[in-house]
Amino acid sequence: MIGPPDATNWEGIAHWKPWRPEEVSTVLQGIDIPWCIVGGWALDVWREKETRPHEDLEIAIPRSRFSEIRQQLAGFKLFVVGDGEVHPLEAGTIPPLDRHQIWVLDEAANTWRLDIFLEPGDARTWIFRRDERVHGPRSHFVAVSGQGLPYLKPEAVLLYKAKANRTKDEFDLACALPPMDRTARSRLRAPLHS
């Protein structure tokens, strides 16, 4: 995954000022597609407290429902991200199948607001994009917080984070692993040892 731009400047935008989870929930209010907060923010929504600064906000949706979220975000400009490149997603086009990341630009504020991951699966089934053998009922991998925010459960978040060796991922693992129950630990362990 490409992180948010730092010194690199795409389309004249050099920074992120992401929405907070409750703000993206408001932006997506009324949309009838399965979505959930992922990444570091998902762990903080699960813990019900912010444990570290977040340079972006990521959500995941089924790829098959992209046109609906695009319509919901009609007031923003969308960009396809991958292999170190960021390209505008022209109106009426869909992201290439080999790209799963979309950045949302708030042109009025001149800042990036949201990172959307296009995932396999649907409203009933969650599928790990990096290994589709890892899958199950969506309810096993996605929960809803007391504030009504859908989030990817820690075992699935940590599965994605296992790919990188970044300080923030190590911090997230150290904070999330101790309170995880036996079922969650088992769901995390099985794919890592296969």
Side-chain angles (χ1 to χ4, degrees):
M1 179 187 94
I2 296 173
D6 295 316
T8 308
N9 189 328
W10 286 288
E11 297 291 317
I13 316 302
H15 68 282
W16 277 74
K17 187 176 180 190
W19 289 314
R20 294 186 55 81
E22 58 276 8
E23 291 174 307
V24 78
S25 182
T26 299
V27 169
L28 298 180
Q29 190 170 14
I31 195 167
D32 187 30
I33 66 168
W35 67 274
C36 63
I37 297 164
V38 299
W41 262 120
L43 297 174
D44 281 357
V45 168
W46 168 66
R47 285 187 288 253
E48 298 183 342
K49 68 177 183 178
E50 192 170 344
T51 60
R52 66 172 174 83
H54 297 277
E55 64 266 5
D56 61 1
L57 174 63
E58 302 155 326
I59 68 168
I61 66 165
R63 178 180 284 275
S64 62
R65 307 296 292 273
F66 175 71
S67 63
E68 295 164 73
I69 201 163
R70 181 181 205 152
Q71 186 175 1
Q72 185 80 4
L73 297 171
F76 301 93
K77 191 168 181 180
L78 305 183
F79 289 75
V80 177
V81 180
D83 294 332
E85 298 178 351
V86 179
H87 298 284
L89 185 62
E90 301 303 327
T93 62
I94 59 171
L97 291 176
D98 65 340
R99 297 288 184 256
H100 67 270
Q101 197 171 3
I102 306 295
W103 283 354
V104 178
L105 174 65
D106 181 343
E107 290 183 286
N110 197 35
T111 189
W112 303 106
R113 294 292 191 188
L114 183 64
D115 192 352
I116 302 171
F117 291 117
L118 306 178
E119 302 286 347
D122 55 34
R124 289 175 295 187
T125 306
W126 180 82
I127 301 173
F128 182 48
R129 179 178 30 83
R130 294 186 184 143
D131 183 348
E132 294 191 8
R133 295 173 299 172
V134 179
H135 65 278
R138 190 172 179 81
S139 61
H140 288 182
F141 293 95
V142 177
V144 178
S145 74
Q147 293 75 39
L149 299 171
Y151 65 92
L152 193 61
K153 290 183 179 180
E155 58 269 32
V157 171
L158 294 176
L159 195 56
Y160 276 107
K161 288 178 165 285
K163 178 181 176 184
N165 186 18
R166 302 175 299 186
T167 302
K168 68 179 181 179
D169 298 325
E170 295 296 325
F171 176 85
D172 287 344
L173 175 64
C175 290
L177 198 55
M180 285 171 57
D181 65 26
R182 180 175 290 167
T183 301
R185 285 173 182 242
S186 176
R187 285 190 190 128
L188 173 61
R189 190 178 307 112
L192 293 176
H193 295 291
S194 62

